Amino acid sequence: MKQVNAEIVAVGTELLLGQIANTNAQWISEKLALHGVNVLFHSVVGDNLQRVHDQFEQAANRSDVIVVTGGLGPTDDDLTREAFQLLSGLTMNEHKLSMDKISAYFEKQKRIMTPNNKKQARVFEDATVLENKVGMAPGMIINRDDKVWVFLPGVPKEMKQLFSDEVLPYIQNLSEENTIIESRMLQFIGIGEAQLEYELKDIIAAQTNPTIAPLAQLEGVAIRLTAKANTKDQAQQLITDTQQRIEGRVGSYLYGINNETIEQRVFQLLKGKNKTVAAAESLTGGMFTDRLIAVEGASSVCPGGIVCYDTKVKEKLLHVPTHITKDIGVISEECADSLATNIRTVLGSSIGISFTGVAGPSCVDNHPVGTVYIGMVDDMGKKQIEKFVFRGDRQSIRKKAVWKGYELLFNFLK
Amino acid sequence: MKQVNAEIVAVGTELLLGQIANTNAQWISEKLALHGVNVLFHSVVGDNLQRVHDQFEQAANRSDVIVVTGGLGPTDDDLTREAFQLLSGLTMNEHKLSMDKISAYFEKQKRIMTPNNKKQARVFEDATVLENKVGMAPGMIINRDDKVWVFLPGVPKEMKQLFSDEVLPYIQNLSEENTIIESRMLQFIGIGEAQLEYELKDIIAAQTNPTIAPLAQLEGVAIRLTAKANTKDQAQQLITDTQQRIEGRVGSYLYGINNETIEQRVFQLLKGKNKTVAAAESLTGGMFTDRLIAVEGASSVCPGGIVCYDTKVKEKLLHVPTHITKDIGVISEECADSLATNIRTVLGSSIGISFTGVAGPSCVDNHPVGTVYIGMVDDMGKKQIEKFVFRGDRQSIRKKAVWKGYELLFNFLK
């Protein structure tokens, strides 16, 4: 296997002014790493002919593959083609298919095409032209002096389409003949990164194909499995075998595959069991319900909910007895129980879930900031009330409470 | 004024693997641009001594200020100091204050300090040591061969503290003696970027101090005013004068300054008028209420709300008459009216607001996806019901409906 070294050059003054982050470089790097290509440098250079040229020259001296993003648009500031021409001496021609597409776009929009739009259709001689399916400027792959140059638009949507459809298959051929790389993410809830690594320590250490990479997420933890094989099916089979070994250890925490969210998983569990859920939300203010209703088809599993931030709403709409609100206090197991029990009957759902606690910044009834009670009750009389103390600011505490609610409900439903 | 050219070098293989985006470079670039410093290059290099050295050498040859982030930690992979030593030949010493802090941290945590942690306390001779108030590794500023080298940790929180507190004042002195740069963001709702630019065209064109930069935001539009003067007060006065001219044209759309959110502004308006609001949310699923309850002190302006996703909940809890739900349909002006009127009485709030519509993916009662009715009713009998058709996927439509709800409520309260 030949080791391929790549670098990514982004062209655009907007990046140097800090108006946007170079997320293109991150996205491309992740894909290249998954396909066994080493990315050794990222660079960003402004819309300046000489500086772009110099950056290209340096790249040509140190990398096998140079991926360039940005600077292919219609304005005078777009100088990527000109800089590469200065370096390579290659000539450019108008690409008929791209030009037709640009003309058709302006006709359809009933707008006059200014001459500078023609710039976008120019491609280098001998370039492999990559059709931009979501925008106007085509991409290009150029082989020159044993280097592969890839030119892509800077708009992330266009760059991603061209990279996935055209560039990845091309680059994959460079690095390893007939090798397919596949990856799968396993999403976990209710287990920390350290514990997950501990439970799988020997498997991770012994495993090379697929590789096993634990990753901390914004919420929860994930494991990325990446396998190489001669066919897609073989690669997927290798991943599935390892997934089964992992599930043997920590399967009870696994909730989803790839981009699946916990609310999608809970939605499927509810739908599969023909159950509905309604939430009585105090400190979480509707966030639990909002996330569930974000899932397509949510109407079949969630009739709605009540945000009972004020004690009067807890009493009036959710019938929490005054001996709880007055004597015991609303930050209590009793209140969480009453809220979960009554939201179920008020909304007519199979399951009731409740959130009551202190989001801060001040403590309530001497309960420290972060104290949260979550209650769950179902139509078979099954009940679970738990107390947590979350750390962080007001918004983190609210988010952690909702995430924990989904964890509890996920386990409640399994 | 001497023009200062800067570049930003990020050290860390995690960036080249695409595990994180180089948001540090974006953040630093934005600050430097505001302070009149040209950033000409960003680069990212992995944890490799020779490559980091080469990158530093190139930076020294082309920039006046080199800001380096990352590679200052305790592990063997952290090579920023070693690479700069290779280039500069400067010696390093243990910095007593930093070492004391590191030792104290481990003592407090009752953990044993492994020897590699000492690495973090090493600083170059003659460096200005920058105290890291949120982490362990100190930053450094080093003047050498007419170049300014700034070394900062890669952890964004630590980098930002050191950059704001120590680096910016230092750099400001380099570029313009006794010149202060101040900026202010004006946040607008209910006006597009194109219209805002059109309304202010002549003011923007004629204005040089402060400069006026319109910026599209995730939600709404902002204008950044950036002024230079000899004192902070003078700069602020220049900004205030221009803000007043802008307000003369488009003041009715201005809702906030700097990072203020629309829900914070609505919270203040409610509190100032001693009013409360409750929402009946169908397609928005609790998102409107959640955003308001995210504001500290929200309990004084929002008792709670009802998520009435299912028609039965609209009928039972919000008393929408069956002639509306059955004959007219729930996606209607009448339903929005009834929901807004009744949420006010059911929750006992001064104002009721309602959201009913089609989030998709399928249309409802022949109403196309994106159709949304928003209603508002107050305790003085004032009423407003509006229909919108939003574009986008399910989640965009839901978010746009909530944002529009805040715009309407903001104008309702003014």
Side-chain angles (χ1 to χ4, degrees), chain A residues 261-324:
Chain A
T261 63
I262 187 67
E263 51 267 29
Q264 285 170 335
R265 184 79 181 100
V266 160
F267 164 78
Q268 287 154 3
L269 286 168
L270 286 165
K271 201 161 164 108
K273 291 174 189 282
N274 208 16
K275 300 253 182 205
T276 60
V277 66
E281 305 191 57
S282 183
L283 84 156
T284 55
M287 198 194 297
F288 178 89
T289 309
D290 177 40
R291 282 180 66 161
L292 190 56
I293 287 180
V295 180
E296 283 181 14
S299 59
S300 61
V301 305
C302 179
I306 292 178
V307 180
C308 51
Y309 198 44
D310 194 274
T311 300
K312 286 201 194 78
V313 180
K314 294 182 181 76
E315 290 170 350
K316 190 183 154 194
L317 292 185
L318 285 155
H319 317 301
V320 178
T322 49
H323 84 265
I324 292 179

Side-chain angles (χ1 to χ4, degrees), chain A residues 26-56:
Chain A
Q26 181 194 9
W27 190 88
I28 294 170
S29 294
E30 198 182 358
K31 298 288 175 242
L32 289 176
L34 275 174
H35 288 76
V37 175
N38 275 344
V39 177
L40 296 187
F41 302 96
H42 294 172
S43 52
V44 177
V45 58
D47 302 317
N48 173 290
L49 188 64
Q50 189 59 47
R51 284 197 288 271
V52 178
H53 166 272
D54 294 352
Q55 197 70 46
F56 286 176

Side-chain angles (χ1 to χ4, degrees), chain B residues 294-401:
Chain B
V295 180
E296 282 182 14
S299 58
S300 61
V301 306
C302 178
I306 292 179
V307 180
C308 51
Y309 199 43
D310 194 275
T311 301
K312 285 202 194 78
V313 180
K314 293 183 182 78
E315 290 170 350
K316 190 182 156 196
L317 292 185
L318 285 155
H319 317 302
V320 179
T322 51
H323 82 268
I324 292 179
T325 55
K326 298 272 185 316
D327 306 336
I328 301 174
V330 294
I331 318 295
S332 66
E333 194 179 321
E334 289 81 356
C335 186
D337 185 345
S338 177
L339 287 170
T341 303
N342 297 343
I343 188 73
R344 203 184 74 69
T345 48
V346 171
L347 270 282
S349 61
S350 335
I351 299 167
I353 183 167
S354 67
F355 299 85
T356 180
V358 191
S362 317
C363 57
V364 174
D365 298 346
N366 292 319
H367 296 287
V369 171
T371 308
V372 177
Y373 288 87
I374 302 177
M376 273 181 310
V377 176
D378 77 2
D379 48 0
M380 309 297 282
K382 191 169 139 196
K383 184 183 284 191
Q384 186 181 349
I385 319 287
E386 299 215 23
K387 179 186 176 179
F388 304 92
V389 182
F390 299 115
R391 292 178 63 177
D393 62 13
R394 182 176 173 85
Q395 196 62 358
S396 320
I397 289 167
R398 298 175 67 243
K399 282 185 180 170
K400 285 175 184 174

Side-chain angles (χ1 to χ4, degrees), chain A residues 381-398:
Chain A
K382 192 170 138 193
K383 183 184 283 191
Q384 186 180 348
I385 319 284
E386 299 215 23
K387 179 187 176 179
F388 304 93
V389 182
F390 299 114
R391 292 179 62 176
D393 62 14
R394 181 175 175 87
Q395 196 60 357
S396 321
I397 289 166
R398 298 176 66 244

Side-chain angles (χ1 to χ4, degrees), chain B residues 35-168:
Chain B
H35 287 77
V37 176
N38 275 343
V39 176
L40 296 187
F41 303 96
H42 294 172
S43 52
V44 178
V45 59
D47 302 317
N48 173 291
L49 188 63
Q50 190 60 48
R51 284 197 289 271
V52 177
H53 166 272
D54 294 352
Q55 198 68 45
F56 286 176
E57 192 171 43
Q58 180 182 45
N61 288 329
R62 64 185 184 185
S63 300
D64 307 310
V65 173
I66 301 109
V67 180
V68 181
T69 59
L72 298 179
T75 74
D76 289 346
D77 280 351
D78 291 301
L79 294 166
T80 293
R81 283 186 198 82
E82 288 69 14
F84 186 67
Q85 190 167 42
L86 198 62
L87 180 75
S88 67
L90 292 173
T91 59
M92 281 190 274
N93 305 306
E94 192 172 286
H95 185 245
K96 196 178 171 312
L97 276 177
S98 301
M99 196 60 239
D100 290 351
K101 215 172 132 179
I102 295 169
S103 307
Y105 171 82
F106 280 93
E107 266 170 42
K108 198 182 157 197
Q109 298 279 312
K110 295 195 174 41
R111 284 167 53 197
I112 292 159
M113 186 179 74
T114 51
N116 55 355
N117 279 290
K118 284 194 176 183
K119 257 188 78 170
Q120 300 182 85
R122 286 176 312 149
V123 299
F124 287 100
E125 51 180 324
D126 302 329
T128 304
V129 180
L130 314 175
E131 192 198 340
N132 186 336
K133 291 180 181 155
V134 285
M136 281 197 272
M140 284 178 273
I141 298 178
I142 296 160
N143 248 296
R144 191 172 168 279
D145 299 337
D146 261 349
K147 307 287 177 181
V148 176
W149 291 83
V150 177
F151 294 96
L152 298 171
V155 178
K157 197 169 65 172
E158 301 178 22
M159 180 282 289
K160 288 179 185 174
Q161 181 260 312
L162 286 167
F163 194 86
S164 302
D165 293 355
E166 310 267 6
V167 181
L168 265 186

